[in-house]
Amino acid sequence: MAVTIKDVAKKAGVNASTVSRAIKDSSEISDKTKAKVRKAMHELGYRRNAAAQVLASGKTNTIGVVFPAVNDKESQPFYMKILSSINETARDYDISVAIATGHTVAQLKKQVELQYSEKRVDGFIVLYAGKSDPIREYLLNNKIPFVLVGTPSDHKNEITHVDNDNMLLGREAVHHLVDLHHENISFVTDTTQGEVFEERYHGFKDETQRYGINEKLLVMNRDFSVTNETALVVIDDVLALKVVKQLTSQGLRVPEDISIITYNNSIFTTIIHPYLTTFDINIEQLGATAVKKFLDLRDEEEKLPEKTIIPFQLIERETTKARI
């Protein structure tokens, strides 16, 4: 026989109404009681009657997760890591996750519209920011709850978003290299588009100017090379691996001849030596916070949009070295 809410209530030592409120993540129930109820649900193998719950509450208890409309395999470490965090956190709240992807913005927008119009999802977590975006406009215009991972360039006061302080990340990279006595530092990127690049580079440039040191912007391509740089700030660690390979082919050693500091702390940072010095941007916390903020938006109609800043940590490894 199927396990019922009454069975869960008996196992957890609470009444059935408490179980119902805990399943809905009601603020009237303490976190301790919610944990007790979830433990009982797990031990008994309780499963929600999704169809009945949709009819009763009008909620699907499913979050749509929107990936950027590009076939960007090199960004997979970030997206797969944050998706894993979203899945794990959603599971804690007895919420399902649906993926929205597409090769073009038009394809992606069509899928988002379909998921919401057919009541497959309650709203969305959008995994990219940037300038104008038809999908964000569609969500805003139709008052569909969504949380953005990143910082939008427009509608900032209307969008709940979760992000790191990317300008501070740019500044902190310079600060670390200056502490190691570097004076010729360039910023390396493979794109000059998007909020992440703009904010990290802006922070980098402000800090190099503050110290009065030489700086340049280098775009990674087949002709990439350095001149008198003693250190590089690279926009992400996947690109940093390519930079190390290119420098090695030019006879330069990292970090003996040139230091490198980068971002994201993905699995690639410790695959081969030298291990990358990088900023851990707490991708797991970005995903978990996005889920919690979405549930707040979905369940509290008067909830005001807000920005949440996730802290970061510098992980010092083998690609930075003090100049003598």
Side-chain angles (χ1 to χ4, degrees):
M1 294 180 64
V3 178
T4 67
I5 282 180
K6 289 183 179 180
D7 296 327
V8 175
K10 184 177 179 181
K11 177 79 172 176
V14 298
N15 58 46
S17 63
T18 298
V19 174
S20 294
R21 290 199 294 271
I23 289 173
K24 296 174 183 175
D25 198 35
S26 169
S27 58
E28 298 175 5
I29 307 300
S30 70
D31 289 340
K32 183 178 180 180
T33 300
K34 290 175 186 176
K36 188 192 301 182
V37 169
R38 289 178 189 134
K39 183 173 183 289
M41 290 167 61
H42 178 73
E43 291 176 353
L44 292 173
Y46 173 81
R47 294 291 181 271
R48 290 182 292 111
N49 185 328
Q53 187 156 351
V54 170
L55 288 172
S57 66
K59 295 175 182 175
T60 67
N61 277 332
T62 300
I63 304 172
V65 178
V66 186
F67 282 72
V70 290
N71 188 16
D72 188 359
K73 295 181 179 179
E74 293 175 358
S75 296
Q76 281 185 359
F78 172 83
Y79 292 121
M80 292 304 101
K81 196 170 184 179
I82 197 169
L83 179 60
S84 176
S85 174
I86 289 170
N87 269 321
E88 290 176 11
T89 308
R91 192 182 306 120
D92 289 341
Y93 288 94
D94 203 24
I95 299 292
S96 299
V97 170
I99 306 299
T101 61
H103 291 293
T104 66
V105 173
Q107 289 176 353
L108 184 57
K109 184 170 180 284
K110 184 176 180 180
Q111 188 173 13
V112 167
E113 291 173 344
L114 191 65
Q115 285 185 347
Y116 193 75
S117 64
E118 293 187 350
K119 300 188 184 303
R120 300 183 198 172
V121 299
D122 294 322
F124 298 90
I125 293 172
V126 181
L127 296 183
Y128 63 93
K131 298 189 184 297
S132 61
D133 178 42
I135 293 158
R136 282 206 307 269
E137 294 296 332
Y138 163 74
L139 297 174
L140 284 168
N141 292 339
N142 290 276
K143 295 181 169 48
I144 298 170
F146 76 100
V147 172
L148 183 70
V149 177
T151 300
S153 57
D154 50 12
H155 302 294
K156 287 184 181 180
N157 289 331
E158 303 173 56
I159 297 174
T160 292
H161 52 291
V162 181
D163 201 1
N164 307 110
D165 187 333
N166 281 300
M167 286 188 64
L168 183 59
L169 278 162
R171 291 190 179 100
E172 286 297 310
V174 174
H175 182 73
H176 178 65
L177 293 172
V178 169
D179 280 349
L180 296 177
H181 312 296
H182 290 277
E183 297 177 350
N184 293 292
I185 307 170
S186 290
F187 190 97
V188 184
T189 183
D190 55 356
T191 177
T192 56
Q193 304 296 316
E195 293 296 308
V196 171
F197 162 74
E198 289 180 3
E199 293 189 358
R200 288 181 185 173
Y201 179 58
H202 190 177
F204 163 87
K205 193 166 186 177
D206 282 354
E207 197 71 1
T208 52
Q209 290 177 351
R210 189 174 76 85
Y211 280 108
I213 61 178
N214 298 319
E215 60 85 14
K216 287 189 297 187
L217 175 64
L218 302 176
V219 178
M220 181 67 178
N221 54 39
R222 64 180 61 187
D223 299 321
F224 173 84
S225 64
V226 296
T227 51
N228 62 340
E229 288 88 353
T230 63
L232 303 174
V233 179
V234 184
I235 194 167
D236 65 57
D237 48 30
V238 175
L239 183 63
L241 290 178
K242 294 182 178 181
V243 171
V244 172
K245 182 179 179 181
Q246 185 76 359
L247 293 173
T248 301
S249 71
Q250 295 172 11
L252 294 172
R253 300 167 300 163
V254 177
E256 291 83 1
D257 300 319
I258 188 166
S259 288
I260 290 178
I261 187 169
T262 184
Y263 302 96
N264 291 2
N265 195 32
S266 77
I267 59 172
F268 293 119
T269 56
T270 55
I271 285 182
I272 58 173
H273 289 284
Y275 291 167
L276 295 172
T277 293
T278 185
F279 286 95
D280 188 332
I281 61 172
N282 285 318
I283 296 174
E284 295 91 345
Q285 194 173 346
L286 281 166
T289 303
V291 172
K292 294 171 185 175
K293 293 299 178 184
F294 172 80
L295 294 176
D296 287 345
L297 280 180
R298 185 196 69 172
D299 298 335
E300 299 179 37
E301 292 184 3
E302 301 303 319
K303 183 76 173 177
L304 293 174
E306 60 183 12
K307 177 174 183 176
T308 302
I309 296 294
I310 303 300
F312 56 81
Q313 296 85 38
L314 175 63
I315 310 296
E316 294 186 57
R317 294 197 179 100
E318 299 172 351
T319 57
T320 49
K321 181 180 180 181
R323 294 190 69 212
I324 299 173

